[in-house]
Amino acid sequence: MSEPDEADVLVLGAGSGGYACALRAAQLGLRVTLVEKDKVGGTCLHAGCIPTKAMLHAAEIADTARHSASVGVDLGEPRIDMGRVAAYRQGVVDRLFKGLTGLIAGRGIDVVAGEGRVVDAHTVAVGDRMLRGRHLVLATGSVAKTIPSIPLSDKVITSDGALALTAVPRRVAVLGGGVIGVEFASVLRSFGAEVTIVEALPRLVAAEDEALSAGLQRAFRQRGIATRLGASVSGVSESGDGIRLEVDGDEPVEADLLLVAVGRGPAPVPGIENLAVETDRGYVPVDERCRTTVEGVYAVGDLVPGLQLAHRGFAQGILVAEVLAGLGPAPIVESGIPRVTYCDPEVASVGLTEAAAREKYGEVETVEYNLAGNGKSQILQTKGFVKLVRAKDGPVVGVHMLGARVGEQIGEAQLIVGWQAHPEDVAPLVHAHPTQNEALGEAHLALAGKPLHAHA
Ligand code: NAD
């Protein structure tokens, strides 16, 4: 039997995974205690998805102004006021934070402010206070990784520091050409900085289909973003007012600021040693119901190995709440989770890359529909493509898109992949003209063997 002050669900961490779990559990009539040491909303709301996408929107406006003369509107070279960019960004965050706080309070969730320490599978201590729960959900999220030989300083920062910039640096080096690296490279270039990305692997956004990496690299080159791929940094030193990166077998990179974007790792769970739970380099592996190896203890979000995406965290949080309420939810299919990188041009994908599909199915068919044939993309003056991958004579198993605003097209793409549609199922669906969404329709027409605005 529960003690009177015992919750049904005790959630450690109120980021995307934790608060989604708390909200859904409360909606299902469970008593919830949510422990948060900082602010509800976590990294996504306060230091990740939302503020960085606000920066990217400001960047898009800067580029729109810069290129306005090409459509006959003279706005001229933009002037970036980082203080006012930050104020705009913070306004967005504040409004969402207020809404979320109200939502959590409205559902009767007991929010406990402070750092929680796991005492056992049913107990979390916050200061002197002991919180009890029938079930424990670990949702502490992730933190930016750093490189021990490259200590952070006022000139060497992670994405957290990039959000605190008060001026646009003249020259920026970005270490890591993954998602965070390319998004910030894109923003800072749009704001007028000279940007060089230094990436250890031979391509940008290396988790994506190779065609997307190649296309993004081409687009970045045209935007004047320099890339050093397959680069190994042997040392970083302060030189005068700036920073100097020594690159093995190549010229050093001189910059005023170094942004380290080499991945995110699991945030520590204080007291996790009291649980005897299986961990993997700080991550907490789970089964398809987000159960850890300890009875009654669950984990969600970036703490769980796999895609580090807020929407995966939401989905896992909701899943745990529904498991605990006895609803028997369907497991989450990790490969069906859409991925969007909001640089310019955007990168959006769902399902398997061509290489992964070949590994899984042997023979595959692909098609690339170039946005040059898409009216709306031409109006927006963006370049890119939609690439489809299908198992031979089978369903579409991967959709990969490059181009301005293509992230907005991922919804249809994920339904196609998620519902295992064949190109022949999608081909008869009429797509609105003129939209970029048409490009997705055209790609399926092409894969079904009846291209309209493309060569057969
Ligand atoms: P990442 O794993 O996407 O990229 C890190 C990159 O750094 C890799 O390409 C890696 O090869 C490179 N790297 C590592 N060590 C290096 C070194 N010593 N020298 C040169 N390169 C090195 O990680 P990230 O970009 O830091 O992002 C962290 C997580 O946050 C990711 O999982 C990402 O999906 C998530 N995120 C998602 C979004 C989005 O969905 N739009 C936005 C931001 C972050």
Side-chain angles (χ1 to χ4, degrees):
M1 278 298 289
S2 302
E3 292 169 34
D5 63 344
E6 184 175 276
D8 296 309
V9 193
L10 180 53
V11 184
L12 185 58
S16 308
Y19 85 68
C21 181
L23 285 173
R24 183 71 179 125
Q27 198 173 48
L28 291 168
L30 300 173
R31 280 178 306 155
V32 184
T33 301
L34 180 59
V35 182
E36 172 55 51
K37 65 176 179 180
D38 196 349
K39 288 182 184 154
V40 299
T43 300
C44 162
L45 178 54
H46 299 284
C49 316
I50 299 298
T52 58
K53 274 24 126 194
M55 301 277 278
L56 279 151
H57 180 59
E60 184 184 355
I61 290 176
D63 281 329
T64 301
R66 187 171 289 125
H67 302 305
S68 57
S70 66
V71 297
V73 179
D74 288 316
L75 294 176
E77 185 62 24
R79 203 182 64 77
I80 311 298
D81 179 337
M82 287 296 265
R84 279 161 49 220
V85 170
Y88 147 70
R89 185 183 75 209
Q90 199 54 41
V92 174
V93 171
D94 289 347
R95 280 191 296 282
L96 292 171
F97 177 55
K98 194 166 167 228
L100 179 62
T101 310
L103 204 55
I104 289 172
R107 297 247 174 114
I109 294 164
D110 183 16
V111 179
V112 178
E115 182 167 274
R117 164 168 287 273
V118 177
V119 177
D120 61 37
H122 300 282
T123 316
V124 166
V126 177
D128 295 339
R129 195 168 162 197
M130 289 292 167
L131 306 167
R132 301 267 305 157
R134 285 197 300 128
H135 306 280
L136 173 61
V137 181
L138 306 175
T140 54
S142 62
V143 291
K145 282 188 198 165
T146 51
I147 295 177
S149 60
I150 309 179
L152 300 184
S153 68
D154 56 341
K155 293 195 198 84
V156 181
I157 61 174
T158 64
S159 58
D160 296 326
L163 287 173
L165 287 175
T166 53
V168 180
R170 193 169 69 77
R171 301 167 307 168
V172 182
V174 178
L175 189 61
V179 183
I180 293 180
V182 300
E183 285 189 354
F184 272 105
S186 189
V187 168
L188 293 166
R189 181 66 188 144
S190 300
F191 284 176
E194 284 172 27
V195 180
T196 304
I197 301 175
V198 181
E199 164 60 51
L201 295 174
R203 57 194 179 101
L204 298 177
V205 288
E208 298 288 352
D209 190 277
E210 287 190 30
L212 289 181
S213 298
L216 182 64
Q217 219 174 297
R218 212 164 32 242
F220 270 15
R221 193 181 320 123
Q222 284 165 2
R223 291 189 56 197
I225 297 173
T227 48
R228 301 280 191 93
L229 302 175
S232 169
V233 172
S234 52
V236 172
S237 55
E238 303 234 344
S239 76
D241 289 345
I243 282 283
R244 184 182 159 100
L245 276 79
E246 306 294 344
V247 182
D248 278 351
D250 202 347
E251 293 289 299
V253 178
E254 306 263 359
D256 303 310
L257 185 79
L258 172 62
L259 171 63
V260 178
V262 295
R264 293 181 64 85
V269 180
I272 195 163
E273 62 282 1
N274 298 327
L275 279 180
V277 69
E278 184 194 326
T279 58
D280 177 9
R281 290 160 296 148
Y283 291 99
V284 179
V286 296
D287 67 6
E288 76 291 344
R289 291 170 154 201
C290 291
R291 292 181 297 200
T292 69
T293 52
V294 173
E295 176 78 30
V297 180
Y298 297 74
V300 298
D302 284 4
L303 189 59
V304 176
L307 291 170
Q308 294 172 317
L309 297 171
H311 43 287
R312 171 179 176 263
F314 293 142
Q316 290 177 330
I318 291 166
L319 179 126
V320 169
E322 294 187 351
V323 165
L324 297 182
L327 297 187
I332 298 162
V333 180
E334 187 102 354
S335 68
I337 296 175
R339 310 168 289 260
V340 180
T341 304
Y342 300 84
C343 47
D344 179 37
E346 286 185 353
V347 174
S349 65
V350 61
L352 303 179
T353 63
E354 181 179 344
R358 278 192 196 287
E359 211 162 283
K360 182 162 179 190
Y361 297 104
E363 226 181 314
V364 302
E365 294 169 70
T366 67
V367 74
E368 252 184 63
Y369 178 78
N370 197 304
L371 295 186
N374 177 256
K376 187 62 186 278
S377 299
Q378 289 306 300
I379 291 165
L380 294 175
Q381 300 177 311
T382 188
K383 290 182 185 159
F385 58 85
V386 175
K387 174 175 174 176
L388 305 180
V389 182
R390 85 184 289 194
K392 178 96 176 116
D393 297 327
V396 177
V397 296
V399 179
H400 309 278
M401 299 183 279
L402 181 77
R405 303 185 189 176
V406 294
E408 301 297 335
Q409 306 306 325
I410 202 64
E412 185 184 9
Q414 88 179 89
L415 290 184
I416 291 168
V417 171
W419 286 346
Q420 301 176 349
H422 286 232
E424 293 77 11
D425 300 325
V426 183
L429 301 174
V430 178
H431 289 74
H433 176 77
T435 60
Q436 284 188 292
N437 182 238
E438 259 184 312
L440 203 52
E442 292 259 6
H444 285 86
L445 282 172
L447 197 54
K450 40 185 171 181
L452 181 60
H453 294 103
H455 297 289

